[in-house]
Amino acid sequence: MRRLRWLLVPLVVLPLGWLLFTGFARDPREVASPLIGRAAPAWTLTTLDGVELGTDDLAGRPYVVNFWASWCVPACVDEHPVLAAAQERYGDEVALVGVLYQDDPTSAEGFLARYGDAGYRHVNDTDGRVAIDYGVTGPPETFFVDADGIVRTRAWGPLTDADLAEHMAAILPVAGP
Amino acid sequence: MRRLLPVVALGALLALLAIAVVLAVRPGPSPTAAERADALARGLRCPDCQGLSVADSPTSSAREIRRQVDELLAGGATDQEVRDHFVARYGTWILLAPSSLLAWLIPIAVVVAGVAGMLAWLAQGRSRTPAPRAAIAAEERRRVHDEVEALDA
């Protein structure tokens, strides 16, 4: 029994220490999305301009679904210029859509007036159904869907320019010769 | 007293096990849709809370999940189908209880191993007899004898 005591360190203490060390370093909400590689959820919602917009309208070319809210500060504020730059750079090939996450249209319009409206459309997910279909745990969260309507990647938390370029590469058609 | 300890420990363990088995297999009245929805909501994680179930949270996501649970049950879905509906969206993260059998078995295995280890330790302590006195070699004995004689002389 006494001779086996030294085994406690490698068998119990080290694995436990490793578990606690890696476990607490992670954000428990940042989990892999089961949507990756599957068809994107279908939806039809009303834009801030009062027009109906649905996945049928977006089909045929890549699109980006960004869940955000005016109360999501500072993450959504930090991310806003990144998305505006993306609209500028990729707007011709990729449709960007903002989805309001537990927010009201008036506050969202206030946010856009204050931080700049990049020109892409925003829809109001009134009952939160679309957010649940995408498995959103909190804004900002962004899904990248390719031209075939398959979710390719998901970004959790505010995007940087570098992140965005990487995610875009996953849904943009490979440049031809 | 010491001899009784393992017996008492084993008896207590068996009694606990018996109670657990009785509670687990006791037949209850079949639950209504509202009761099933409650039970399911208690097992689903509220996506935008910190460690709360859908049943415990008033956020709009929790309300919408609750509404979808009711809708799915009304459509004739089984409890497992309802859970799968949300797992397909959020992954198993949405389930508050782990679905892997291993997560349930490991704690039981640890308790069983601990009890076995303790019983073994107690048994060892009881059977321990004092080490036999080392026999003095005949040569040594003769030498001691000789030295004592030499002193007396």
Side-chain angles (χ1 to χ4, degrees), chain A residues 1 28-35 38 101-102 127-129 131-138, chain B residues 47-50 59-61 64-65 67-68 71 85-91 93 117 121 124:
Chain A
M1 214 58 185
R29 290 192 305 166
E30 190 174 2
V31 287
S33 170
L35 261 65
R38 297 209 332 230
Y101 180 82
Q102 297 186 17
D127 51 11
R129 177 162 220 149
I132 288 171
D133 281 345
Y134 278 88
V136 173
T137 59
Chain B
D48 45 9
C49 310
Q50 300 289 331
T59 67
S60 53
S61 318
E64 173 61 19
I65 289 180
R67 199 194 60 73
Q68 290 189 13
E71 192 181 274
H85 171 84
F86 294 105
V87 168
R89 287 156 176 75
Y90 288 96
W93 174 85
W121 180 69
Q124 195 195 35

Side-chain angles (χ1 to χ4, degrees), chain B residues 9-60:
Chain B
L10 199 71
L13 202 73
L14 285 176
L16 268 177
L17 207 71
I19 292 170
V21 167
V22 167
L23 285 180
V25 301
R26 186 180 54 167
S30 63
T32 64
E35 282 167 355
R36 281 174 65 202
D38 276 342
L40 283 164
R42 278 197 299 275
L44 292 171
R45 187 190 297 274
C46 159
D48 45 9
C49 310
Q50 300 289 331
L52 282 180
S53 77
V54 163
D56 298 323
S57 166
T59 67
S60 53

Side-chain angles (χ1 to χ4, degrees), chain A residues 93-155:
Chain A
E93 300 164 277
V94 178
L96 259 72
V97 181
V99 179
L100 296 190
Y101 180 82
Q102 297 186 17
D103 202 3
D104 68 279
T106 319
S107 310
E109 274 160 3
F111 180 101
L112 293 174
R114 182 166 174 188
Y115 297 106
D117 188 342
Y120 61 90
R121 289 164 291 184
H122 298 276
V123 291
N124 190 12
D125 183 19
T126 325
D127 51 11
R129 177 162 220 149
V130 174
I132 288 171
D133 281 345
Y134 278 88
V136 173
T137 59
E141 211 170 304
T142 314
F143 292 82
F144 296 80
V145 183
D146 71 10
D148 298 326
I150 306 294
V151 179
R152 285 300 165 203
T153 62
R154 189 269 310 247

Side-chain angles (χ1 to χ4, degrees), chain A residues 37-53:
Chain A
R38 297 209 332 230
W43 46 265
T44 304
L45 294 169
T46 312
T47 66
L48 288 177
D49 303 327
V51 185
E52 285 222 326
L53 175 68

